[in-house]
Amino acid sequence: MPNTKYKFNPDSLSFDKVRLGIRALLFRFLVYFTGSILVALIYWIIFASFFDSPKEKALKREVEQMTIQYNLIHREMASIENVLDDLQKTDDNLYRTIFEAEPIPSTLREGGTGGVNRYESLEGYTNSRLVIETAKRLDAIRKKVYIQSKSFDDLISLASRKGEMLRSIPAILPISNKDLTRTASGFGRRIHPIYKIIKFHYGMDFTAPAGTDVYATGDGTIVAVNSAQRGLGKHIIIDHGFGYTSTYAHLSNFNDARVGKKVKRGDIIGYVGNTGTSVANHLHYEIKLNGINVDPVNYYFEDLSAAEYVRMIEIASKTGQSFD
Amino acid sequence: MSRRHKYILDLSDLQYKLVRLPWKIKLLRISLWFAASIIIALFYGTVFEKYFGSPKERILNQQIENMKLQYALLGREMDNSVAALNSYRLSDDRRYRPILNMDSVPDSYRKAGFGGVDRFRDLAGYNNSGILITSRTKIEEIKNMVKVQNESYKTIEEIAVEWKREIDHFPGISPVSVEFRLGDGYKFRAIHPVLGTPRMHNGQDFEVPYGTEVYSTGDGKVVESGWNSGGFGNCVVIDHGYGFQTVYGHLSNIRVPKGMNVKRGDLIGISGSSGLSSGPHLHYQVEKSGQHMNPINFFNNDMSFDEYRDMIQAFESKSKLR
């Protein structure tokens, strides 16, 4: 056997055949295996430090592109936010100019809740949270009480009326105003646009382009169709019975409105305009109960949800300028 | 002789000989061993990558995930901006423009500017191309919205100032306190109180005693101040612009010189009975584009005496501040 290897044994001074036991074989195998892994690791380290796998290359490119684009968008966003701040200021200014009022927070104007932190001044104390929570709850209660007291009496009297009465009482918005953005100036003390003094505003103003449809807000009979040069300008008065009359003023035109004509709720009776003492296209809407002007905000219950009603009250209660 | 040396039995001479390998064979062995090790290493690598992925890849993927998060945050910011812009747009469309009698900005103009996704063709082909293109498109949309809104607001601002100016210049109040009775109105008079002949009365008379203060009914410029030979006596004419002129006649005293700019509520004279007049009164005339208008349509009787006084005081204090 030419391939058989021998080992010199210095103890017996003879050559012994090299024979490996299973243990030694196993041990060898383990050594080889570990060695191979170590070697593979070394190869990988060397390879990886010089080359990327195609997959890695793609990923790297992706990360790079994403970073570039991110930085770009981020920069753009920063400048947009600056411009948006300016826009906000312009918007506030316009609002002040046109409505003579402190701007309503946009969250309120366009729906939604939250936004402005009214409780900022209360922050920063040990019990801030408690105080703020309490203040918030108090505010909420106050608001509820206000709304309740405003509408409770009306609700009680309304609840006892039925049928025809419910069809007759003014109960919808006189113009289409789904998102309430057309609500301008409510019932109460307002700055007069010409006199510049605070006068009582007996109705509610809705801003709308000339020609916008004006609806009868309840069934009734037209009792007046006037084209005055001053004051209410072209206006219509509807008698709804049960003590209620409603007035629609500053119209640009009438829609087949004549005294004595019966109208149904929702009928188009005229179109928004700027006639009479008025400084802009708008509808001035008044409701009288037994000859006394009442706040129209409480007479939209067919149109408004409870939440919208609250928002309407808040928008309309802001002191500002009326348009007539 | 160490234990490590290996021997081989040479059958030809039956001698144990030390195994010696020539360097060529050694080299061959080493390269073989090297080749084998690479193959094994490759095998290990493949298996490892299959089950775990390379660590580098994992790091890169992690980075991409981070970027995605950043993009999501940016997206939220962008959404906020869009919400803000939409609210401005509503204000613009629903509030300011109707009041100022302006047409709303056409949708085609608001939407103009982004022709499609093609602009970001170079962003295609990545795993996250979608995010990149959406974000860039959105940013472009926002930029366009901002631009349009900015321009729109600028126009509105100008018009709003003009609107206010026009309201202030409009002759919209009574020239004397509302406590006084109205005299003859705008009508054809069969007998003129002084001349005794039929004559058109082009203005509104106010029955005021001597010495009553007369106020400008709107902002404007005094274009005539002094004696009017046509019968108005001591007379002031104010040009309010927008085609409006007002005439205040039969004054006993004039307080504003020709050429002076006056504001609504400014004291312009004291009433009297100068000129063609049968007794103390104020003659008030409104002209629009040279046509006589009925002055009664230029003020409402919706004020109390107190309110009128408050109004004049408010205008006065405003005048002092300017």
Side-chain angles (χ1 to χ4, degrees):
Chain A
M1 290 280 277
N3 280 328
T4 316
K5 287 183 179 144
Y6 299 86
K7 226 178 193 171
F8 181 71
N9 189 346
D11 299 330
S12 59
L13 290 177
S14 61
F15 289 98
D16 295 340
K17 242 187 196 164
V18 178
R19 266 211 190 103
L20 293 169
I22 285 181
R23 272 192 178 183
L25 272 172
L26 217 70
F27 177 72
R28 267 205 185 177
F29 175 75
L30 256 174
V31 168
Y32 273 117
F33 183 68
T34 329
S36 72
I37 283 182
L38 276 173
V39 169
L41 209 67
I42 289 164
Y43 286 160
W44 180 79
I45 287 168
I46 294 167
F47 181 81
S49 61
F50 290 107
F51 308 99
D52 288 324
S53 79
K55 216 175 179 182
E56 283 164 11
K57 261 188 204 153
L59 284 173
K60 255 192 181 163
R61 224 160 57 90
E62 182 128 14
V63 169
E64 227 166 74
Q65 185 63 265
M66 281 181 101
T67 315
I68 290 170
Q69 296 296 329
Y70 177 81
N71 288 335
L72 192 123
I73 294 169
H74 195 75
R75 260 205 313 279
E76 300 251 42
M77 211 48 222
S79 70
I80 284 172
E81 259 152 28
N82 274 334
V83 184
L84 280 180
D85 275 351
D86 287 346
L87 271 180
Q88 178 69 59
K89 277 182 204 130
T90 317
D91 186 61
D92 289 351
N93 263 332
L94 277 173
Y95 197 89
R96 263 184 221 115
T97 313
I98 294 174
F99 293 93
E100 294 278 353
E102 272 316 296
I104 316 170
S106 51
T107 44
L108 177 66
R109 271 191 261 164
E110 263 60 78
T113 46
V116 182
N117 187 359
R118 301 172 55 190
Y119 308 99
E120 210 165 17
S121 58
L122 302 176
E123 280 170 4
Y125 301 98
T126 8
N127 291 317
S128 278
R129 268 188 61 179
L130 189 67
V131 174
I132 290 171
E133 279 312 309
T134 314
K136 271 186 190 164
R137 211 165 296 168
L138 262 178
D139 262 13
I141 291 171
R142 202 175 294 145
K143 204 184 277 176
K144 262 187 205 157
V145 168
Y146 172 67
I147 292 160
Q148 290 282 325
S149 65
K150 248 179 129 59
S151 58
F152 216 58
D153 298 342
D154 299 312
L155 280 177
I156 285 179
S157 62
L158 283 172
S160 59
R161 303 170 179 214
K162 289 177 190 107
E164 191 206 343
M165 220 175 263
L166 279 175
R167 282 199 305 278
S168 299
I169 294 167
I172 62 166
L173 290 158
I175 63 166
S176 166
N177 187 21
K178 268 282 157 258
D179 38 19
L180 307 187
T181 47
R182 297 214 181 285
T183 317
S185 183
F187 183 86
R189 295 160 69 77
R190 293 288 179 277
I191 296 169
H192 191 282
I194 293 172
Y195 307 158
K196 306 283 190 224
I197 54 166
I198 291 174
K199 276 188 71 65
F200 202 90
H201 187 231
Y202 286 101
M204 204 155 176
D205 285 347
F206 297 93
T207 63
T212 306
D213 293 343
V214 175
Y215 311 117
T217 53
D219 293 3
T221 314
I222 296 180
V223 291
V225 180
N226 288 326
S227 295
Q229 294 268 342
R230 57 175 181 170
L232 297 177
K234 286 191 176 183
H235 64 277
I236 295 172
I237 300 173
I238 296 174
D239 188 349
H240 302 281
F242 309 102
Y244 285 97
T245 61
S246 58
T247 308
Y248 314 77
H250 309 300
L251 306 176
S252 62
N253 250 316
F254 305 116
N255 182 32
D256 189 27
R258 55 199 150 66
V259 175
K261 190 188 173 191
K262 299 248 183 251
V263 289
K264 295 253 170 229
R265 176 177 292 156
D267 283 355
I268 298 171
I269 51 172
Y271 307 100
V272 170
N274 188 16
T275 55
T277 307
S278 163
V279 296
N281 286 315
H282 78 285
L283 173 72
H284 174 84
Y285 176 62
E286 276 181 27
I287 297 176
K288 278 185 185 155
L289 175 56
N290 300 322
I292 293 159
N293 281 92
V294 291
D295 192 343
V297 83
N298 295 323
Y299 293 88
Y300 304 135
F301 44 84
E302 285 278 303
D303 266 4
L304 301 185
S305 69
E308 284 171 329
Y309 170 67
V310 172
R311 208 149 67 76
M312 185 83 149
I313 285 186
E314 265 191 78
I315 294 173
S317 68
K318 292 274 170 184
T319 305
Q321 168 172 289
S322 62
F323 293 93
D324 48 33
Chain B
M1 261 190 209
S2 103
R3 265 174 179 275
R4 296 193 60 107
H5 285 148
K6 284 176 183 160
Y7 300 85
I8 198 161
L9 182 65
D10 191 343
L11 291 174
S12 56
D13 54 3
L14 290 177
Q15 285 276 322
Y16 287 101
K17 286 181 179 162
L18 194 61
V19 178
R20 269 178 213 271
L21 290 169
W23 64 267
K24 264 193 181 173
I25 296 188
K26 267 189 183 164
L27 204 71
L28 187 74
R29 273 208 182 173
I30 285 172
S31 32
L32 271 178
W33 190 82
F34 184 67
S37 73
I38 283 182
I39 288 164
I40 289 170
L42 266 174
F43 172 73
Y44 285 157
T46 317
V47 171
F48 185 81
E49 225 178 294
K50 187 163 183 191
Y51 289 104
F52 303 105
S54 87
K56 225 183 193 176
E57 251 176 72
R58 278 161 67 185
I59 290 169
L60 286 168
N61 274 326
Q62 188 56 53
Q63 279 179 10
I64 286 175
E65 285 310 308
N66 283 343
M67 283 315 290
K68 274 193 193 161
L69 189 72
Q70 299 285 325
Y71 272 92
L73 291 177
L74 258 187
R76 205 170 303 160
E77 257 178 78
M78 289 196 267
D79 288 345
N80 286 341
S81 303
V82 170
L85 281 161
N86 277 333
S87 97
Y88 296 143
R89 183 191 175 162
L90 259 182
S91 262
D92 182 313
D93 261 13
R94 296 306 206 78
R95 288 210 170 78
Y96 307 144
R97 281 175 184 266
I99 290 171
L100 301 175
N101 205 7
M102 299 161 76
D103 291 332
S104 47
V105 178
D107 265 6
S108 58
Y109 184 65
R110 284 198 185 268
K111 288 255 149 59
F114 22 103
V117 198
D118 269 18
R119 274 212 271 171
F120 305 112
R121 203 183 283 150
D122 56 322
L123 294 180
Y126 296 97
N127 285 335
N128 295 301
S129 284
I131 298 177
L132 297 180
I133 292 171
T134 324
S135 304
R136 283 291 299 275
T137 316
K138 214 173 191 179
I139 269 284
E140 292 302 314
E141 276 177 30
I142 293 175
K143 269 163 77 180
N144 189 61
M145 280 172 92
V146 165
K147 196 185 111 223
V148 171
Q149 198 52 61
N150 224 344
E151 280 170 17
S152 171
Y153 268 1
K154 270 196 191 121
T155 329
I156 292 178
E157 250 183 339
E158 279 167 24
I159 301 223
V161 169
E162 191 48 39
W163 176 69
K164 285 239 133 178
R165 196 180 169 272
E166 193 170 345
I167 292 173
D168 289 343
H169 282 70
F170 179 78
I173 63 167
S174 164
V176 291
S177 174
V178 291
E179 67 189 302
F180 302 111
R181 285 200 307 158
L182 297 177
D184 269 356
Y186 178 87
K187 63 179 181 188
F188 185 78
R189 282 200 292 214
I191 300 169
H192 186 274
V194 179
L195 300 172
T197 52
R199 204 174 174 185
M200 181 64 199
H201 186 229
N202 286 323
Q204 174 69 47
D205 287 347
F206 294 83
E207 293 183 2
V208 293
Y210 270 108
T212 305
E213 298 186 325
V214 177
Y215 308 104
S216 168
T217 54
D219 294 4
K221 191 176 187 173
V222 178
V223 288
E224 267 176 57
S225 171
W227 189 261
N228 174 285
S229 50
F232 291 142
N234 285 321
C235 163
V236 172
V237 179
I238 295 173
D239 186 356
H240 300 282
Y242 309 97
F244 287 110
Q245 283 206 349
T246 49
V247 180
Y248 312 75
H250 312 304
L251 305 173
S252 65
N253 200 332
I254 292 174
R255 295 288 170 87
V256 285
K258 187 176 171 178
M260 186 181 175
N261 285 316
V262 290
K263 295 261 168 199
R264 176 180 294 147
D266 278 359
L267 179 65
I268 53 170
I270 304 294
S271 75
S273 188
S274 58
L276 218 54
S277 167
S278 60
H281 77 284
L282 172 75
H283 175 83
Y284 177 56
Q285 208 166 288
V286 179
E287 284 163 30
K288 186 174 188 194
S289 313
Q291 299 283 319
H292 292 292
M293 310 293 282
N294 188 349
I296 201 87
N297 292 328
F298 286 80
F299 55 90
N300 290 317
N301 47 359
D302 61 349
M303 283 181 117
S304 68
F305 167 60
D306 285 343
E307 280 178 331
Y308 190 87
R309 195 197 47 216
D310 289 350
M311 175 181 76
I312 294 296
Q313 272 174 4
F315 283 132
E316 256 174 19
S317 58
K318 229 183 193 175
S319 285
K320 272 174 197 152
L321 287 174
R322 81 189 139 101

